[in-house]
Amino acid sequence: MHTSSPANPLTGVRNLGILAHVDAGKTTVTERILYLTGTIHKRGEVHDGTTVTDFDSQERDRGITIFAAAVSCAWDGHRINLIDTPGHVDFSDEVERSLRVLDGAIAVFDAVAGVEPQSESVWRQCDRHGVPRIAFVNKMDRAGADLDAAVESIRERLHPAPLVVQLPIGAEDGFTGVVDLLRMRALVWPDGHGTCEEGPVPDALREEARRRRRLLEEAVAELHPGALEEFCAESAVSTATLATALRELTLAGEGVVVLCGSAYRNRGVEPLLDAAVAYLPSPVDVPPVRGIRGDAVEERAADPGGPFAALVFKVTSTATGRLTYLRVYSGTIGKGEVVWDVGARRTERIGRILRVRADRHAEVDRAVAGDIVAVIGPKAARAGATLCAPSAPLLLEPPTVADPVVSVAVEARGRTDADRLATALARLVEEDPSLAVRTDPETGQTVVSGMGELHLEVAVEKLRRAHGLDVAVGRPRVAYRETVARGVSGLLYRHVKQDGGAGQFAHVVLDVEPLGAVDTGGGAVDFGFRSTVVGGRVPQEYVRAVEAGCRDALAEGPLGGHPVTGVRVTLTDGATHSKDSSEMAFRTAGRLALREALRACAMVLLEPVVEVTATVPDDAVGGVLGDLAARRGRVSGTAARAGTAVITAAVPLAELFGYATRLRGRTQGRGTFTTRPAGHAPAPAPASR
């Protein structure tokens, strides 16, 4: 391991995420990084359930990453804080919260499959957060592995400029190493145990290496003015200029450095670490964090000497207590200090500060700007909360949370376990904000909602394993919506109530019409409200009360009590009473008037639709297409890929329950599929399921 040390301590920190589609090799890459950096002394394997970051029993049983796990290690004198993120779409909210606090990312791609659906989703998430990244094409030892095809899929589907800095030595089972195109050297791992040997480029690859080095120089010169100037003057770009240009292009998001290897075979991970240190940003390379202080926007630079500000991105409950994971953006925090939770408006004391390695921790005395640590002490801080110095409050933007779309009814089998179930569910929601718990007002059932069937399976299993509860689970139910197909105009509603003392009087006239923009998949209820009342017939404060009442009415539609979306309400007239009118009266009138108007409108039930991407053997395509059609799926495309077919279809979420088992049966266990939300569409009949 290298031992150089940067001059500014903050420039020696890298906060990185490992991102990819499920089963592309993220966890194995993380495991090899921990081994090479000396953090662990024995390599774990996903299939053996011995990896550091997949420490939860469910992760080991299922062989996938479910919870984002933070680890810390050192390489080349740099402190690297890594977050191994889930690759399954049901846990994309974990990825979202992680990306909010990361400075850079390593995107892992399968050398056979190239860009897969969830790879594309996490890439778009990085784009939204402005996170620079490098790419690692993994599994170069697999049959059918093709670096050029994987790079082309990156270019076509993700639209960055891929800058390939390596040439593989050997193919498939014969893959033994790479040619470093910057320094024109061969890096070989002949024994398969992670021992890297450096040497000259093999004679058979010398011409190809020169050609690819030339292509790299030309690609960089097209994007970087300094490299272009040198290329024009010298007809070549020096190694130093190339390295500088690659870093600057990566930080600007104008290019993505592409490396390759086989993490499972311990080949290519050292150059990946070197590239992460060389090209990805430190906390001082990213823009200052912005927050709200009072009514003004304020920036805080990554300065250990500045006022303390940190964002909570994860909360977990362990046998040793409640762990609150922080990204420190500015300032320094020590054990025993008091911080201010801006959102909850309360103080919290930091009892202990821990350097994290998945489920193991090392206590430290303090954390400074740029650190990702866990703390013990805060009692109420939730994911998305801002902790800061009491003397310099600053509210940081929290990560966005998508609305859940699938629900199950949960109840404790034992009568005495009802209170324990409520406590356990509250703890689950605290740890995972993408879960929601509510009591159905009609049935009295406790309903747990999440991002997908697997998400809910994991949550219920956690109730059983971690909390020792015997729970009964009902069939998952999806989150339907209702919308207006044909509106009404001039609906008059008069609210009059007199039961002693001051009465209530409110008179409103409403027009209700389709908004024209139904839920787009982000989960927000689309609602428009405006007032055309003239002459002061309804004072402005009462107009706001009418709008609030209308929003109350949107919670339950007339078809099945589902939330209403895509509605525009216009207050066209009204009247007040000098004594009996009040904001409460007009809010009540707005709520009851819109309910009555919706019953008079032509309503349509909307159901959530997901985009399904199924990868199946060629000989099973017909059966899979037939099954999708039986599930009311609309196929939008098929593509052939190395003996398999990739089928894309829009399918109602309600029809997907049990699909994983059916797909395995139709493909002899060889088919896989992923889903991602695609908004809502009209359901065939207005009936609750």
Side-chain angles (χ1 to χ4, degrees):
M1 196 172 77
H2 309 280
T3 56
S4 63
S5 180
N8 180 349
L10 279 183
T11 63
V13 175
R14 298 289 183 273
N15 293 313
L16 309 177
I18 309 289
L19 312 170
H21 187 88
V22 65
D23 203 33
K26 300 178 303 300
T27 301
T28 303
V29 169
T30 306
E31 194 73 14
R32 297 306 186 261
I33 287 174
L34 294 179
Y35 178 75
L36 285 170
T37 56
T39 309
I40 59 176
H41 303 290
K42 181 181 179 182
R43 295 186 295 267
E45 305 295 350
V46 172
H47 55 269
D48 292 335
T50 55
T51 60
V52 170
T53 52
D54 283 356
F55 59 85
D56 186 87
S57 59
Q58 290 201 66
E59 294 179 309
R60 293 183 169 178
D61 290 348
R62 298 173 188 270
I64 62 171
T65 300
I66 296 172
F67 310 107
V71 292
S72 189
C73 57
W75 179 259
D76 196 15
H78 293 70
R79 165 69 54 188
I80 300 178
N81 297 313
L82 278 176
I83 297 182
D84 178 22
T85 64
H88 196 286
V89 68
D90 279 17
F91 309 104
S92 58
D93 197 65
E94 286 271 327
V95 181
E96 186 73 20
R97 292 199 301 276
S98 299
L99 283 175
R100 176 65 179 80
V101 299
L102 292 171
D103 298 328
I106 299 171
V108 181
F109 299 95
D110 188 312
V112 178
V115 176
E116 297 172 272
Q118 191 61 11
S119 311
E120 193 170 343
S121 295
V122 296
W123 193 274
R124 302 298 174 219
Q125 286 177 290
C126 285
D127 286 340
R128 287 201 306 274
H129 289 277
V131 176
R133 68 223 83 147
I134 61 177
F136 181 66
V137 179
N138 192 26
K139 302 189 178 183
M140 289 295 296
D141 59 317
R142 280 187 61 193
D146 188 335
L147 176 62
D148 291 339
V151 170
E152 191 57 32
S153 72
I154 292 173
R155 188 194 314 277
E156 290 180 358
R157 297 188 60 178
L158 306 181
H159 310 296
L163 304 170
V164 185
V165 297
Q166 291 178 342
L167 169 66
I169 299 175
E172 300 180 352
D173 283 346
F175 173 75
T176 58
V178 297
V179 174
D180 176 359
L181 297 178
L182 259 72
R183 294 167 181 81
M184 293 303 285
R185 58 179 180 168
L187 302 174
V188 181
W189 294 262
D191 56 3
H193 296 292
T195 303
C196 178
E197 295 180 3
E198 183 179 333
V201 178
D203 293 340
L205 291 176
R206 196 162 293 157
E207 282 305 314
E208 180 65 10
R210 288 194 187 114
R211 186 181 73 84
R212 297 210 176 209
R213 165 64 183 244
R214 183 70 174 181
L215 290 174
L216 175 63
E217 292 176 2
E218 291 172 354
V220 170
E222 285 183 8
L223 299 170
H224 191 274
L228 176 62
E229 184 178 339
E230 185 173 318
F231 187 80
C232 292
E234 307 291 340
S235 297
V237 182
S238 67
T239 298
T241 302
L242 263 184
T244 301
L246 288 172
R247 176 175 172 77
E248 292 176 1
L249 291 172
T250 300
L251 297 184
E254 295 176 9
V256 56
V257 173
V258 181
L259 302 96
C260 65
S262 169
Y264 180 66
R265 302 291 179 194
N266 312 301
R267 293 168 180 152
V269 181
E270 293 100 320
L272 177 64
L273 276 167
D274 290 336
V277 167
Y279 305 130
L280 291 174
S282 72
V284 298
D285 295 317
V286 297
V289 68
R290 303 181 72 185
I292 298 174
R293 184 174 185 180
D295 295 328
V297 175
E298 183 176 308
E299 292 187 345
R300 294 265 175 96
D303 178 9
F308 175 72
L311 185 71
V312 177
F313 68 94
K314 186 177 176 69
V315 175
T316 61
S317 296
T318 67
T320 57
R322 188 178 190 268
L323 283 182
T324 304
Y325 289 79
L326 305 176
R327 161 66 193 267
V328 183
Y329 282 100
S330 72
T332 302
I333 188 70
K335 291 192 298 183
E337 293 188 22
V338 173
V339 296
W340 177 250
D341 184 334
V342 182
R345 301 190 64 79
R346 57 172 286 168
T347 56
E348 298 275 16
R349 182 175 294 278
I350 305 298
R352 298 166 63 197
I353 303 173
L354 307 173
R355 185 80 65 192
V356 184
R357 202 186 84 198
D359 60 337
R360 303 174 190 178
H361 316 99
E363 190 164 347
V364 295
D365 292 330
R366 62 180 192 143
V368 302
D371 273 343
I372 291 179
V373 295
V375 297
I376 295 177
K379 299 291 192 297
R382 298 290 190 95
T386 302
L387 300 182
C388 59
S391 59
L394 185 74
L395 180 62
L396 302 177
E397 181 184 355
T400 58
V401 179
D403 284 348
V405 294
V406 182
S407 303
V408 290
V410 177
E411 65 179 29
R413 294 186 189 274
R415 293 182 180 179
T416 59
D417 286 341
D419 290 341
R420 288 180 59 215
L421 176 61
T423 302
L425 288 172
R427 185 169 292 178
L428 279 185
V429 173
E430 183 180 81
E431 295 182 7
D432 185 355
S434 59
L435 284 172
V437 177
R438 64 181 175 87
T439 301
D440 190 305
E442 295 183 7
T443 65
Q445 289 179 309
T446 299
V447 178
V448 182
S449 303
M451 303 307 297
E453 201 170 0
L454 179 59
H455 189 202
L456 292 177
E457 280 181 23
V458 168
V460 170
E461 192 61 27
K462 196 165 187 179
L463 289 175
R464 292 171 175 150
R465 295 189 186 188
H467 300 279
L469 287 166
D470 185 13
V471 295
V473 181
R475 175 181 170 85
R477 293 179 294 186
V478 301
Y480 289 89
R481 299 282 188 268
E482 298 176 25
T483 192
V484 173
R486 187 179 66 254
V488 297
S489 60
L491 185 132
L492 183 150
Y493 189 87
R494 184 186 296 267
H495 175 63
V496 181
K497 187 175 182 182
Q498 192 75 44
D499 53 3
Q504 293 185 31
F505 178 89
H507 173 98
V508 296
V509 180
L510 302 181
D511 288 350
V512 180
E513 59 185 332
L515 184 62
V518 179
D519 179 17
T520 56
V525 174
D526 295 319
F527 170 66
F529 182 88
R530 61 186 177 185
S531 171
T532 59
V533 178
V534 295
R537 291 176 60 80
V538 180
Q540 191 59 40
E541 62 268 25
Y542 294 167
V543 171
R544 289 194 293 269
V546 173
E547 179 180 358
C550 289
R551 290 185 182 275
D552 294 341
L554 294 175
E556 296 183 9
L559 294 181
H562 309 292
V564 179
T565 186
V567 177
R568 174 179 282 116
V569 177
T570 305
L571 177 64
T572 60
D573 201 1
T576 62
H577 186 277
S578 58
K579 293 183 178 179
D580 293 343
S581 288
S582 64
E583 290 187 25
M584 179 183 294
F586 271 89
R587 181 165 185 160
T588 302
R591 183 179 74 252
L592 298 177
L594 184 53
R595 282 185 181 175
E596 185 175 309
L598 291 175
R599 286 194 292 269
C601 291
M603 301 293 291
V604 174
L605 185 70
L606 301 175
E607 61 182 347
V609 175
V610 295
E611 182 186 87
V612 176
T613 302
T615 304
V616 301
D618 285 339
D619 56 6
V621 171
V624 172
L625 288 174
D627 186 51
L628 287 173
R631 295 173 185 270
R632 297 190 284 124
R634 299 191 310 277
V635 176
S636 57
T638 59
R641 183 190 294 166
T644 62
V646 180
I647 301 169
T648 306
V651 185
L653 186 61
E655 302 289 346
L656 276 184
F657 297 120
Y659 183 62
T661 303
R662 178 66 64 87
L663 183 66
R664 291 190 200 106
R666 289 188 177 275
T667 61
Q668 290 78 48
R670 294 177 292 163
T672 61
F673 80 102
T674 58
T675 63
R676 61 180 175 186
H680 285 73
S688 299
R689 293 170 183 264

